[in-house]
Amino acid sequence: LKYPSQQPSRPRRAREPSIPAGSMGTEAMFGLKGKDFVIMAADQQTTFSVIKMKDDYDKIWEVEGKLFAATGPSADAANFVEFVEKNVRLHTLRTGLPLTTKAAANFTRNELAHSLRKGPYQTDMLIGGVDADGPCLYFMDYLASMEKVNKAAHGYGAMFTFGLMDRYYKEDMTLEEAKDIIKKCIAELETRFVIDLGKYVCKVVDKNGTRIENLYA
């Protein structure tokens, strides 16, 4: 008997996730939708195991007039957001039309879902922008689940602050009211959380674009 030659199948090598699936990083990231703006704040700490690597890292990217905030291992977060940033920019160059916040969020979710089945990125995201229809804020986790929300948080910080956001959030709030909620969330973490997350960066996007906002000015 002559059997057909069979080549052994080559197993697909998936990139190993940097942290165990489903684990929550020792980070804090908040987002709120206001009357005509979206505000985001995030800690600036990066760590490796029990070692603090940096305390001035910016986790909120400015992409084509929108804010992309990402938590997780810094390599995964930076690589994925930069990939999305270049593709969003490429779309603008090809068509001459910028993506809306909804379109950018759906493109990001689709790419994260595609990567999930090949080489997953362990990154959770908030995406915010202001379009003709008004401000939009999107919550996205590392499993590519996405939802349009009024308020959101990621990391261990979310466990301490969702109650505060539910208590003080209201429709059509002003920038000062939103900043006050962010400051309450940071104060709660400084009081209750066992780890000191250090400094925070705060950014706002409105009809005039993106900018860094001083929480304590």
Side-chain angles (χ1 to χ4, degrees):
L1 291 176
K2 189 175 181 180
Y3 296 95
S5 60
Q6 293 182 351
Q7 294 293 332
S9 59
R10 180 180 298 174
R12 183 189 301 176
R13 291 187 60 188
R15 185 168 56 85
E16 291 296 326
S18 304
I19 56 177
S23 64
M24 185 179 292
T26 54
E27 300 175 90
M29 183 174 290
F30 318 110
L32 295 167
K33 186 187 80 169
K35 182 178 181 180
D36 54 2
F37 66 91
V38 173
I39 185 171
M40 294 185 187
D43 72 285
Q44 294 186 269
Q45 183 172 278
T46 60
T47 61
F48 177 77
S49 183
V50 296
I51 302 170
K52 181 189 292 187
M53 305 297 290
K54 294 185 71 175
D55 63 358
D56 59 353
Y57 184 67
D58 190 352
K59 300 178 183 178
I60 306 176
W61 282 260
E62 300 171 23
V63 180
E64 292 286 298
K66 303 168 185 60
L67 294 179
F68 281 65
T71 67
S74 56
D76 278 22
N79 285 341
F80 184 67
V81 176
E82 288 174 7
F83 166 78
V84 171
E85 177 185 14
K86 303 310 179 189
N87 278 275
V88 170
R89 178 59 179 160
L90 179 62
H91 175 275
T92 303
L93 292 173
R94 281 177 170 173
T95 65
L97 300 172
L99 287 175
T100 64
T101 306
K102 180 180 179 180
N106 278 281
F107 169 77
T108 304
R109 193 214 71 81
N110 186 64
E111 292 301 321
L112 194 58
H114 183 72
S115 299
L116 185 66
R117 289 150 180 82
K118 297 175 67 178
Y121 291 95
Q122 295 289 328
T123 182
D124 299 315
M125 302 183 69
L126 300 178
I127 300 172
V130 177
D131 305 313
D133 297 331
C136 301
L137 175 64
Y138 290 88
F139 173 98
M140 191 180 307
D141 68 9
Y142 74 103
L143 294 175
S145 298
M146 186 180 76
E147 186 68 30
K148 186 178 181 181
V149 295
N150 293 325
K151 54 190 180 298
H154 276 305
Y156 275 125
M159 301 174 66
F160 295 85
T161 56
F162 268 132
L164 282 170
M165 290 184 176
D166 288 337
R167 170 66 179 82
Y168 292 105
Y169 180 83
K170 62 182 182 181
E171 294 286 343
D172 297 331
M173 62 181 175
T174 65
L175 179 59
E176 290 304 315
E177 289 171 333
K179 287 169 63 176
D180 186 59
I181 295 176
I182 296 292
K183 288 189 283 188
K184 281 183 169 65
C185 291
I186 293 173
E188 184 71 11
L189 282 174
E190 291 174 344
T191 302
R192 301 292 183 183
F193 194 28
V194 68
I195 297 174
D196 179 15
L197 295 178
K199 300 180 294 183
Y200 288 78
V201 62
C202 179
K203 294 186 181 181
V204 172
V205 57
D206 57 20
K207 63 180 181 180
N208 299 316
T210 62
R211 67 181 185 272
I212 296 176
E213 188 72 23
N214 189 342
L215 283 173
Y216 300 98

